[in-house]
Amino acid sequence: MLLKEYRICMPLTVDEYKIGQLYMISKHSHEQSDRGEGVEVVQNEPFEDPHHGNGQFTEKRVYLNSKLPSWARAVVPKIFYVTEKAWNYYPYTITEYTCSFLPKFSIHIETKYEDNKGSNDRIFDNEAKDLEREVCFIDIACDEIPERYYKESEDPKHFKSEKTGRGQLREGWRDSHQPIMCSYKLVTVKFEVWGLQTRVEQFVHKVVRDILLIGHRQAFAWVDEWYDMTMDDVREYEKNMHEQTNIKVCNQHSSPVDDIESHAQTST
């Protein structure tokens, strides 16, 4: 098990980001889905928890066979997906990733949002007070992203919002920018396979970090698209994007469950 805490500051308020993150996730999933790969939304509905109260539960399948290294593609089903389950009780969320084909693999993410610049060192005292972990700050303006994902229009150093006047962030912007909020993420990666555990867990954390950096950059760079939306507006947008994305992904999959079960039986 490898545990890390990520802190990502945004030039927004927590209330603003509640809309922004829903918009970003829906649009990003749609953009990244094509030719049978990407994100299929299986379930998205209100959910009530006795401790956390009212929230939203979503279940998704993330198809990514072509993104796997060649050695992995040789041993997994042709139609391979990771299951994502998320419970959104904003400003607290829980997200879990599992894969039936790799039962010893999982990712668990707990997220809390606060209006500060990442200065709360005790935010996860209830969840991981005595657990050793590395704290990693992610700077949406100054940290490098993989070149294949770079877009100047999504670069906070160049982008400036017409509706809010925020943007063109410079090094050290977190020290003085107002408003500012922080997304605190406690990420646990498990891959309990002897000989591969450390390498795989470190690799997954690198992928998680890149995804967090890209997603938060996009949430800010798209602010003028979502800034005037209400919660009802963004839920309707989310619903429409899910329907369109499912069409892009699911038309290529006649029966993914049958395919995976058949592969598992053959392997056995």
Side-chain angles (χ1 to χ4, degrees):
M1 180 184 84
L2 184 57
L3 176 67
K4 292 188 179 185
E5 180 183 328
Y6 296 92
R7 301 181 186 179
I8 312 104
C9 290
M10 298 283 283
L12 302 166
T13 68
V14 168
D15 286 343
E16 289 170 343
Y17 191 62
K18 184 177 185 178
I19 303 290
Q21 66 146 351
L22 294 174
Y23 182 91
M24 175 272 291
I25 291 171
S26 298
K27 180 174 178 178
H28 177 86
S29 297
H30 185 70
E31 287 189 346
Q32 296 300 310
S33 299
D34 192 27
R35 298 180 181 178
E37 297 215 340
V39 181
E40 174 193 359
V41 179
V42 178
Q43 191 174 351
N44 182 22
E45 60 186 31
F47 184 84
E48 185 173 352
D49 181 88
H51 178 66
H52 300 296
N54 294 328
Q56 192 83 4
F57 171 75
T58 58
E59 180 178 345
K60 302 175 182 178
R61 293 173 178 173
V62 185
Y63 296 89
L64 35 63
N65 192 285
S66 70
K67 295 180 175 62
L68 297 174
S70 57
W71 62 267
R73 289 200 300 271
V75 298
V76 301
K78 180 180 178 182
I79 299 174
F80 172 78
Y81 65 83
V82 172
T83 298
E84 173 194 296
K85 294 183 178 180
W87 296 263
N88 187 343
Y89 309 105
Y90 196 90
Y92 173 66
T93 66
I94 303 168
T95 309
E96 296 178 348
Y97 296 90
T98 56
C99 176
S100 60
F101 190 73
L102 299 170
K104 296 183 182 296
F105 169 77
S106 67
I107 305 172
H108 181 87
I109 303 174
E110 294 186 59
T111 306
K112 296 184 178 182
Y113 305 92
E114 288 190 346
D115 284 314
N116 57 49
K117 56 183 180 181
S119 53
N120 187 351
D121 293 328
R122 304 187 62 182
I123 192 166
F124 289 115
D125 271 5
N126 290 336
E127 292 79 13
K129 183 177 182 180
D130 299 321
L131 296 179
E132 182 178 344
R133 62 187 181 275
E134 178 185 357
V135 175
C136 307
F137 281 86
I138 296 178
D139 189 327
I140 65 168
C142 299
D143 287 359
E144 291 188 6
I145 68 170
E147 185 177 353
R148 65 185 181 278
Y149 296 120
Y150 179 81
K151 294 181 182 179
E152 185 172 340
S153 63
E154 297 175 359
D155 188 337
K157 293 192 300 294
H158 300 293
F159 169 77
K160 185 169 183 178
S161 166
E162 294 181 0
K163 292 185 178 180
T164 68
R166 305 170 205 168
Q168 296 180 334
L169 305 178
R170 296 293 177 256
E171 189 168 352
W173 68 273
R174 293 178 297 175
D175 296 328
S176 58
H177 195 283
Q178 289 296 329
I180 191 167
M181 60 150 288
C182 184
S183 171
Y184 295 83
K185 291 184 175 287
L186 190 66
V187 182
T188 304
V189 177
K190 291 182 181 180
F191 187 70
E192 297 171 343
V193 177
W194 188 85
L196 292 173
Q197 181 171 2
T198 299
R199 180 183 298 181
V200 171
E201 289 177 351
Q202 289 176 343
F203 171 76
V204 171
H205 266 289
K206 181 184 182 303
V207 172
V208 167
R209 188 188 182 283
D210 286 345
I211 291 172
L212 293 177
L213 176 57
I214 294 166
H216 284 77
R217 283 166 64 104
Q218 289 177 330
F220 176 58
W222 296 337
V223 62
D224 288 345
E225 300 175 27
W226 58 257
Y227 191 73
D228 295 326
M229 284 185 168
T230 65
M231 180 56 68
D232 288 342
D233 291 336
V234 79
R235 285 298 184 194
E236 183 64 24
Y237 175 83
E238 182 183 53
K239 179 175 178 289
N240 292 335
M241 283 293 100
H242 288 171
E243 291 173 354
Q244 294 179 35
T245 304
N246 280 1
I247 291 172
K248 293 173 71 174
V249 174
C250 298
N251 281 354
Q252 302 294 320
H253 304 316
S254 57
S255 180
V257 174
D258 291 345
D259 183 271
I260 289 174
E261 290 179 348
S262 174
H263 185 93
Q265 291 169 2
T266 302
S267 300
T268 303

